[in-house]
Amino acid sequence: MEKATYDVILVGGGIMGCATAYYLLKADARLKVAILEKDPSYARSSTLLSDGNTRLQFNVKENIQMSIYGLEVLARFGEEMAVDGERPDVAFRRQGNLFLVDEDGRPEAEDGLALQQSLGCQVEWLDPEDVARRYPLYNLSGSVGGTYGPLDGTMDPNALLMAYKNKAISLGALYIQAEVSELTTDEDRLTGVRLASGERLSAGYVVNAAGAWAPTLAQTAGFDLPVQPVKRQVFVFETHTRPDGFLPALFFPSGLYLIHEHGGQFMCGKSLADDPVGYDFSWDQAIFTDRLWPELLEHIPAFDRLKLASGWAGLYALNTLDGNAILGEWPGLRGAYLANGFSGHGFQQCHAVGRYLAELILGQAPSLDLSIFSPQRILENKPVFESRRRLI
Ligand SMILES: Cc1cc2nc3c(=O)[nH]c(=O)nc-3n(C[C@H](O)[C@H](O)[C@H](O)COP(=O)(O)OP(=O)(O)OC[C@H]3O[C@@H](n4cnc5c(N)ncnc54)[C@H](O)[C@@H]3O)c2cc1C
């Protein structure tokens, strides 16, 4: 049987695979692009298990620029991604994000704020009194203030993913349910993939967009990525407090976060040092009752009565070098492209990443230079840290 041949194969049909396919076909509709996804239900894909939050509040310039571009895309998303007149709605709630700052974190927060403002971002400093006046439910004890981004917000990850997937398919992408067992190579060139079924597909370019499974895939082509699957848990609860409208999402210096969903419903989580590494999707409500709830109560006494409604566990594809994306061609293996290691902030970066990878593959000058995240930095051991204090 003749081997199927593609210009580009995306391994993984999560938000990175689908967004990259879209940007490739938007640039050149003649391309033969295949998205290979082992589980189209996306039950374990990080995209669907994410909180769907986007923020301008980063400390690395390129991360801020990626979010700026993401907001531009979201502003015209329904129109741009319409298929047969159906406009997708990602239910973007611009509720704002409020990052609380303690004394130790103040210099870093001030640097970040100055950088964000210099790039034209609408982000401001709030003193504890400002926060108490605006959001009486929140108590900033232990904080010296916070940085508030009113344009930040939260959306429906499934709706965003389906929009990119459907649009890419409408432009000609082939979406195939298949598990890739191996990247195939010939000396210094990637030649395609072998499927679990044994079938081989060839391609000029293959993008590893396999999320938390990316390191295993990379190993089949003979290289190691500093990426680990790390379990993160989310908890959704109902309180008797029912704030009007939407409160901003709160991000505590400890890594605890709280997102107001609607009415009395909130969602929270925290990256814990003892979160297990591996493909573990078990959900443990004791993490909430024993560890997260007591910490929340210190700041929001009105949460003394609540009902845990639901939750889930998902995986961060944690970049253990520096917590940031790994983007571009793997040095020494032509055609092997990476969209990996997004840690806790890949969902919001899909727009800029999809466009960047498409431009690199097509040999076009990047609209936004993201070479700071090139895989070369792994070989040179030159981390790009977002925060001096922790990986987020
Ligand atoms: C609890 C949690 C909360 C988060 N919150 C946010 C947030 O608020 N904001 C934010 O920006 N980011 C957030 N993230 C991070 C974000 O979810 C990820 O960075 C992003 O979704 C990564 O997308 P992806 O396409 O790389 O991975 P995925 O969505 O995991 O997609 C990878 C796909 O590859 C498929 N695959 C894997 N191996 C193979 C193979 N061999 N063959 C075929 N298919 C394969 C998988 O089935 C999967 O569908 C969160 C993550 C978690 C876990």
Side-chain angles (χ1 to χ4, degrees):
M1 197 172 73
E2 205 178 312
K3 236 193 311 182
T5 301
Y6 298 92
D7 294 310
V8 186
I9 286 177
L10 292 314
V11 184
I15 199 70
M16 295 304 166
C18 289
T20 306
Y22 164 69
Y23 275 98
L24 281 164
L25 288 159
K26 183 184 172 192
D28 185 348
R30 293 163 308 172
L31 291 172
K32 210 171 163 203
V33 174
I35 304 168
L36 308 183
E37 170 53 53
K38 64 178 176 177
D39 176 13
S41 82
Y42 294 110
R44 297 188 154 187
S45 311
S46 302
T47 301
L48 252 62
L49 300 170
S50 97
D51 297 320
N53 188 264
T54 186
R55 58 186 157 110
L56 289 164
Q57 300 185 63
F58 284 95
N59 278 37
V60 171
K61 183 183 79 189
E62 286 78 0
N63 278 335
I64 302 170
Q65 290 171 315
M66 280 203 258
S67 292
I68 293 173
Y69 178 63
L71 291 183
E72 284 168 22
V73 172
L74 288 169
R76 54 170 198 270
F77 200 71
E79 195 181 332
E80 181 168 338
M81 306 305 281
V83 175
D84 296 334
E86 288 270 333
R87 291 161 160 247
D89 178 4
V90 300
F92 185 24
R93 303 195 304 271
R94 279 209 160 134
Q95 64 200 112
N97 285 339
L98 177 57
F99 283 78
L100 303 188
V101 179
D102 60 15
E103 197 56 61
D104 287 351
R106 189 169 191 144
E108 195 170 280
E110 286 175 350
D111 287 352
L113 180 63
L115 181 61
Q116 292 146 25
Q117 289 174 339
S118 75
L119 293 169
C121 300
Q122 203 180 324
V123 183
E124 60 181 315
W125 176 265
L126 297 184
D127 287 324
E129 304 76 52
D130 301 324
V131 175
R133 204 169 38 248
R134 290 192 197 186
Y135 315 110
L137 191 67
Y138 294 162
N139 161 18
L140 256 61
S141 60
S143 302
V144 293
T147 54
Y148 174 61
L151 301 183
D152 294 344
T154 313
M155 70 203 82
D156 176 355
N158 184 42
L160 194 88
L161 174 60
M162 289 306 129
Y164 270 118
K165 178 184 162 190
N166 293 338
K167 190 69 182 181
I169 292 171
S170 78
L171 294 176
L174 282 164
Y175 184 91
I176 303 168
Q177 176 172 6
E179 178 167 358
V180 173
S181 56
E182 190 187 336
L183 302 173
T184 54
T185 58
D186 181 10
E187 297 184 351
D188 66 346
R189 173 111 241 140
L190 204 81
T191 54
V193 300
R194 187 197 303 274
L195 305 182
S197 64
E199 190 184 347
R200 291 175 75 135
L201 310 177
S202 64
Y205 301 88
V206 177
V207 180
N208 182 344
W213 295 267
T216 318
L217 200 63
Q219 276 167 355
T220 67
F223 63 94
D224 287 317
L225 289 176
V227 175
Q228 286 184 339
V230 179
K231 177 161 98 166
R232 298 290 190 228
Q233 298 192 57
V234 179
F235 304 91
V236 180
F237 57 87
E238 285 285 339
T239 72
H240 63 278
T241 312
R242 295 186 153 265
D244 290 335
F246 290 105
L247 292 173
L250 277 190
F251 295 80
F252 296 87
S254 69
L256 177 71
Y257 64 83
L258 175 75
I259 301 178
H260 183 207
E261 289 280 279
H262 56 81
Q265 194 173 92
F266 291 80
M267 172 164 77
C268 81
K270 183 176 183 180
S271 297
L272 299 165
D274 54 348
D275 279 334
V277 174
Y279 299 95
D280 173 0
F281 291 86
S282 59
W283 180 69
D284 179 6
Q285 75 178 68
I287 296 281
F288 177 76
T289 42
D290 298 352
R291 297 169 72 175
L292 271 52
W293 191 10
E295 191 178 341
L296 277 173
L297 263 180
E298 286 172 26
H299 301 277
I300 309 178
F303 282 0
D304 57 343
R305 280 189 293 135
L306 54 77
K307 180 172 176 298
L308 190 56
S310 63
W312 60 87
L315 300 175
Y316 273 18
L318 187 73
N319 176 347
T320 54
L321 176 72
D322 59 16
N324 267 312
I326 302 167
L327 302 177
E329 195 173 31
W330 181 256
L333 192 57
R334 282 183 297 138
Y337 279 75
L338 306 174
N340 300 128
F342 295 97
S343 308
H345 53 260
F347 174 73
Q348 64 207 279
Q349 298 189 327
C350 65
H351 321 277
V353 168
R355 182 180 64 169
Y356 180 64
L357 287 182
E359 289 169 340
L360 287 188
I361 288 170
L362 297 173
Q364 298 172 351
S367 307
L368 174 60
D369 181 4
L370 297 175
S371 56
I372 187 173
F373 299 125
S374 120
Q376 183 69 32
R377 82 184 190 282
I378 298 167
L379 301 178
E380 293 173 358
N381 193 24
K382 287 189 177 155
V384 177
F385 286 114
E386 178 60 39
S387 161
R388 285 187 288 273
R389 299 204 298 165
R390 61 193 162 87
L391 297 180
I392 47 175

